[in-house]
Amino acid sequence: MTAPDFLTTAAGRKIAYHRTEGTGPGVVFLGGFKSDMEGTKAVHLEAWARRTGRAFLRFDYSGHGQSSEAFTDGAIGDWAADAMAAIGELTEGPQVLVGSSMGGWISLLCARAMPEKVAGLVTVAAAPDFTEDSMWAGFDDSQRDALFEKGEVALPSEYGEPYVITRRLIEEGRENLVLRSPLNLPFPVRFLQGTADEDVEMSVALRLLEHAEGPDMRLTLVDGADHRFSEPDCLALIEASVEEVISRAARG
């Protein structure tokens, strides 16, 4: 595994990244909650970018992967700021953002804050507003009490160690919700969602499609695909969706 380069943000966080030089618009992969840039989808897209000569960037949010800080110190706004710093300082011109799970939410925040840097968007099992609509809404009284009294609560995870959810993650997340106010996406957008996803329900993808406004948005449901969305046919669909968005963005 090649050692990453590092970007120091204005907040002093060191963001690990791998950048592939190539033609524009470039592609930026934004990973999920507690995931890192060494995941299957990120590495697969990097190989595609090298094969096609496309500029590509993958990185770790602070508290994730090889970047600095502790995971429990971070929140949605911090990770969105990390993404915006990486996009702003490590890419040239508008980019196609590929957001997986939480990365889908982060990509929407980036599109809202820096639309001049976004040529198009592909989301994979996007999880906008999940700290409020999934976590907080799903907590029982004892979990909510623990969150307020202890400042954190541990949730079981199928992906390894329990997720430690902090009170700040929930409260700060409310400042970054995207499904409660107008969401304009004035560029090609492809939402991808598996029907067997147990982490992000299909209703979330349908709500996002209905809520967002844009001239070129499509939702593709893949029967039987789970949240990882990393089977060969799913990876091929991500590739094809990115290529389609690039093509349509080029037409203006």
Side-chain angles (χ1 to χ4, degrees):
M1 186 167 58
T2 306
D5 291 313
F6 288 88
L7 168 70
T8 300
T9 71
R13 299 190 287 267
K14 290 187 176 182
I15 304 304
Y17 70 90
H18 287 285
R19 178 171 54 184
T20 301
E21 300 294 337
T23 59
V27 176
V28 181
F29 184 82
L30 299 95
F33 188 68
K34 282 203 88 174
S35 67
D36 61 47
M37 62 175 168
E38 300 299 334
T40 302
K41 293 184 288 293
V43 172
H44 180 88
L45 277 177
E46 182 178 74
W48 163 83
R50 288 177 174 169
R51 189 172 67 247
T52 59
R54 181 70 50 179
F56 181 76
L57 174 69
R58 57 186 171 104
F59 66 94
D60 288 329
Y61 312 111
S62 55
H64 292 67
Q66 300 172 76
S67 291
S68 71
E69 316 306 319
F71 171 77
T72 50
D73 288 338
I76 300 300
D78 300 322
W79 300 327
D82 294 340
M84 292 177 204
I87 293 167
E89 297 190 40
L90 300 175
T91 71
E92 296 182 6
Q95 304 292 301
V96 173
L97 308 184
V98 181
S100 175
S101 193
M102 181 184 77
W105 184 0
I106 300 295
S107 67
L108 294 169
L109 290 170
C110 291
R112 188 169 70 180
M114 50 195 317
E116 73 285 353
K117 286 291 291 182
V118 182
L121 179 63
V122 176
T123 69
V124 182
D129 300 4
F130 75 89
T131 54
E132 188 70 14
D133 297 334
S134 179
M135 288 181 173
W136 178 253
F139 287 164
D140 58 29
D141 289 342
S142 63
Q143 290 172 316
R144 292 187 179 191
D145 289 344
L147 199 67
F148 282 110
E149 293 171 7
K150 300 178 182 178
E152 62 182 40
V153 63
L155 301 181
S157 167
E158 295 181 2
Y159 304 101
E161 297 178 354
Y163 290 155
V164 175
I165 306 305
T166 65
R167 177 176 174 176
R168 178 172 178 260
L169 178 69
I170 299 298
E171 293 181 342
E172 198 267 358
R174 292 175 180 144
E175 300 173 12
N176 291 284
L177 303 176
V178 294
L179 297 179
R180 271 79 171 169
S181 57
L183 181 61
N184 184 35
L185 304 176
F187 37 68
V189 179
R190 299 294 178 265
F191 303 121
L192 310 179
Q193 176 71 40
T195 65
D197 191 329
E198 296 182 356
D199 294 291
V200 177
E201 297 180 355
M202 279 192 297
S203 61
V204 176
L206 293 168
R207 182 184 177 194
L208 176 57
L209 178 67
E210 182 178 8
H211 178 76
E213 297 180 357
D216 185 6
M217 300 190 304
R218 297 180 187 177
L219 167 63
T220 300
L221 300 176
V222 179
D223 187 39
D226 62 16
H227 190 64
R228 290 182 174 87
F229 214 83
S230 294
E231 294 298 317
D233 60 331
C234 291
L235 295 174
L237 177 59
I238 296 171
E239 257 186 52
S241 300
V242 171
E243 289 174 346
E244 182 181 8
V245 165
I246 290 172
S247 175
R248 296 184 74 87
R251 295 182 217 163

